[in-house]
Amino acid sequence: MDKSKKYCSVGVKLVGFYVILGLIPLIIAYLYTFYVLRSVLEEDGYRYIRQESEQAGNLMDAWADRYAAVIDSIYMDYYTNAYIMADYSNMGYESMYPYIDKAMLKLSLLCPETTKIEFYSFNETLPEDGNYFRKVSQMKEGWFQKAVDANGFTVVAGVDSRKEYGYERPYIGMVKLLNYFKNGSLQNVLQVQVDAVSVCDLIYDENEACRKFVLSEDGTVLASSERGDLGKNAEEVLQGAIKWEDIDWGQPGSLMEQGTYYMVTKDCQMNMKVLVIADKAS
C-alpha cells in the first residue's frame, strides 16, 4: 500500500513536471506575443496621434493662409486706407461707405465664416458707427499691442464673444496694423472676427480617439474638439491630465509621454499651435 502511494506520488510529480515543462514554451510564446502586440499597438498609436496633429496643423495653416491673403489685400488697398486716414472735419462720408462696403464684401464672400469686420482707429474724425469704425480704446485689452508687436503681419489675438440673437457667440479675433501710410502717430487696426465654432468643426472628427486643441501664443484655446473649452486657458483645461510646464514646445512633431497620455505639438501660422493628446489606453 505504501509502495503504491509512493509510485502514485512520483507519477503525479512527473506529470506535474511535464505539464509545467510543456507550459513554459506556451507562457514564453504568450509573453512574446503580448509584447509584440503591445509594441505594434503603441506604434499605431504613435502614428495615429502624429497624423492627427499633422492634419489639424495643415487645416489651420490653410485657414490662416486664406484669411491672411484677403486681409493683406485690404492692407494694400490704397483707397480703403485713404478713406480711413482722411480728415472728415469738413467733409462727409458719402463716398466712403459704398467703397468700404464693397471691399468688406469681398472678404465675407471669400471667407464666409467671418462674422464681423471692424477698423479701430486713432482718427478722431472717423464716424464711430458701431458697424465698421471704432476708437482704438474700444479694442479688447491687449489686442492693439498684439497687432503692433506683429510687425505688419496678421496675428490671431485671442477669443472673445458678443451677444447675438440673445446668446453669447464666441469668435476668434485676427488683427493687423494698417500702416500703409507711415505718417505721424495715426494708426489703424483691422480686426476680423471669425465664428469660433466653425474652426472647432474644422478640426473635429466624430470618430477621433484624441483631444485636439488650437492654441494662441499665450495658451488660450482658440478651437478644440470639445467646444466648451473655447476661450479658456489650456493649462486650466488640461489640469489633472497633464502638466502644462512639462510640454516641450521646442520640438514640434515629436512624441511626448506624460503619465497615461501621449502628446504631439505642431507650430502653425499666425503664432498658433496645435496640441493633440491621447490616452494610452485608447
Side-chain angles (χ1 to χ4, degrees):
M1 201 65 176
D2 290 339
K3 281 187 177 183
S4 67
K5 284 184 179 180
K6 184 177 180 181
Y7 290 137
C8 181
S9 177
V10 172
V12 169
K13 289 179 181 178
L14 286 173
V15 170
F17 172 75
Y18 285 117
V19 167
I20 292 171
L21 196 63
L23 285 174
I24 289 174
L26 294 176
I27 293 171
I28 293 173
Y30 169 80
L31 291 174
Y32 175 77
T33 303
F34 172 78
Y35 284 113
V36 168
L37 182 60
R38 190 175 73 170
S39 178
V40 170
L41 291 174
E42 284 181 348
E43 186 59 38
D44 286 344
Y46 298 163
R47 191 180 302 113
Y48 168 75
I49 194 171
R50 284 197 182 101
Q51 287 175 345
E52 288 296 313
S53 67
E54 192 70 24
Q55 182 183 43
N58 290 341
L59 287 170
M60 291 309 302
D61 279 341
W63 177 88
D65 277 340
R66 182 160 51 92
Y67 271 97
V70 179
I71 291 171
D72 283 347
S73 72
I74 295 173
Y75 168 79
M76 294 300 296
D77 189 322
Y78 175 87
Y79 290 103
T80 295
N81 283 275
Y83 277 125
I84 296 171
M85 295 289 290
D87 185 347
Y88 293 95
S89 300
N90 298 304
M91 60 186 288
Y93 315 116
E94 293 79 11
S95 63
M96 174 181 68
Y97 275 105
Y99 189 88
I100 296 295
D101 279 336
K102 184 177 179 181
M104 298 308 103
L105 179 62
K106 176 175 67 175
L107 190 153
S108 298
L109 290 175
L110 292 173
C111 303
E113 310 91 352
T114 303
T115 58
K116 198 168 182 60
I117 305 163
E118 294 177 317
F119 294 93
Y120 289 83
S121 178
F122 283 108
N123 186 351
E124 296 292 335
T125 67
L126 267 176
E128 193 176 329
D129 60 1
N131 184 21
Y132 287 132
F133 306 110
R134 296 179 183 273
K135 299 291 186 281
V136 169
S137 59
Q138 295 176 297
M139 286 191 79
K140 184 174 173 65
E141 184 178 357
W143 285 21
F144 175 75
Q145 193 58 48
K146 287 186 178 182
V148 173
D149 293 342
N151 295 317
F153 291 97
T154 301
V155 65
V156 172
V159 175
D160 202 359
S161 63
R162 70 171 188 275
K163 186 161 282 191
E164 192 172 283
Y165 304 113
Y167 69 95
E168 294 293 324
R169 184 176 184 181
Y171 66 84
I172 295 172
M174 285 180 285
V175 294
K176 182 179 178 69
L177 187 67
L178 299 179
N179 53 346
Y180 187 91
F181 298 109
K182 304 183 189 304
N183 56 340
S185 60
L186 195 59
Q187 291 178 308
N188 306 292
V189 173
L190 172 64
Q191 178 178 296
V192 178
Q193 300 177 7
V194 183
D195 179 27
V197 173
S198 70
V199 184
C200 291
D201 292 341
L202 184 67
I203 64 169
Y204 175 72
D205 179 359
E206 62 180 5
N207 297 317
E208 65 189 9
C210 60
R211 293 176 70 186
K212 288 181 279 191
F213 302 90
V214 179
L215 309 174
S216 67
E217 199 170 22
D218 62 4
T220 300
V221 178
L222 303 172
S224 170
S225 47
E226 298 178 18
R227 295 179 182 178
D229 298 333
L230 279 174
K232 296 180 180 178
N233 183 277
E235 185 174 2
E236 295 175 5
V237 171
L238 298 172
Q239 194 171 17
I242 62 174
K243 292 182 179 179
W244 181 258
E245 62 272 16
D246 289 344
I247 299 176
D248 187 356
W249 297 100
Q251 297 186 37
S254 299
L255 186 77
M256 293 174 279
E257 294 187 49
Q258 194 178 118
T260 60
Y261 293 93
Y262 294 128
M263 296 175 293
V264 173
T265 66
K266 180 175 173 59
D267 291 336
C268 300
Q269 296 184 42
M270 296 188 184
N271 294 337
M272 295 183 292
K273 295 180 182 293
V274 167
L275 171 66
V276 180
I277 66 171
D279 194 316
K280 292 179 181 179
S282 63

